[in-house]
Amino acid sequence: MERTLVIIKPDAFLRNLTGKILARFEEAGMRIRAARVVRLTPETAGLFYEVHKERPFYASLCAYMSSGPCFPLVLEGENAISRVREIMGATDPAEAAPGTIRADFAESKERNSVHGSDSPESAAKEIPFFFADLEVAVTAR
Ligand code: CDP
Ligand code: MG
């Protein structure tokens, strides 16, 4: 069993798509181990996306991620990291495979509705960014 950090991003949260997006992951057998609603600041969004701080889209990304609520969650399942990335689809919705979350819901390459950890190393950093160990551990199996 593997765990990954997913964020339902502000564009999707503000269009009330949280339930529809969660259903995609649950239908694929993923279990929710932790979830919460948070409002990031540009600074905390910047810390989360620090790996991208030299990229031209960084400032705009931080503004967008702090423009409304985010819904981070920990999902658990077999090959959760790669399965979630498949279900999400490519970063740019124009390139995302039909039937993926981003193909169906994303507004643009930036406002692309969901985040998912891209590797075990990223998941290990991203889960504790939002959740204390206990919050993940005590969730019912
Ligand atoms: O989210 P993902 O891992 O697919 O993409 P990323 O390359 O790690 O980029 C993180 C986020 O930055 C994306 O999900 C987009 O919201 C945003 N982004 C952007 O606005 N413009 C780009 N050219 C690339 C990414
Ligand atoms: Mg990424």
Side-chain angles (χ1 to χ4, degrees):
M1 284 295 166
E2 195 171 59
R3 286 176 187 169
T4 189
L5 190 278
V6 168
I7 305 173
I8 298 179
K9 294 180 174 182
D11 72 274
F13 191 94
L14 291 171
R15 285 180 288 147
N16 280 0
L17 291 170
T18 301
K20 283 190 174 134
I21 290 173
L22 272 178
R24 303 279 178 107
F25 295 125
E26 290 190 302
E27 281 158 10
M30 298 294 139
R31 286 207 185 277
I32 300 166
R33 296 301 305 266
R36 64 191 293 211
V37 176
V38 297
R39 181 73 183 257
L40 298 176
T41 63
E43 292 73 28
T44 50
L47 285 175
F48 182 78
Y49 276 120
E50 196 149 37
V51 57
H52 292 314
K53 70 170 179 281
E54 306 301 338
R55 309 284 291 278
F57 59 81
Y58 181 69
S60 178
L61 174 63
C62 295
Y64 153 61
M65 289 297 288
S66 56
S67 67
C70 281
F71 190 103
L73 54 146
V74 177
L75 294 182
E76 184 179 84
E78 246 173 74
N79 302 314
I81 295 168
S82 59
R83 283 292 287 129
V84 161
R85 296 281 303 187
E86 279 169 28
I87 295 164
M88 282 167 46
T91 308
D92 185 345
E95 289 162 18
T100 60
I101 291 169
R102 284 165 165 174
D104 289 346
F105 300 125
E107 294 180 332
S108 68
K109 190 169 186 176
E110 178 177 82
R111 301 172 66 84
N112 61 2
S113 301
V114 277
H115 167 86
S117 304
D118 64 6
S119 64
E121 295 71 32
S122 299
K125 278 194 214 158
E126 291 174 358
I127 291 170
F129 187 91
F130 288 106
F131 299 101
D133 288 350
L134 256 183
E135 290 176 289
V136 179
V138 299
T139 307
R141 280 166 198 274

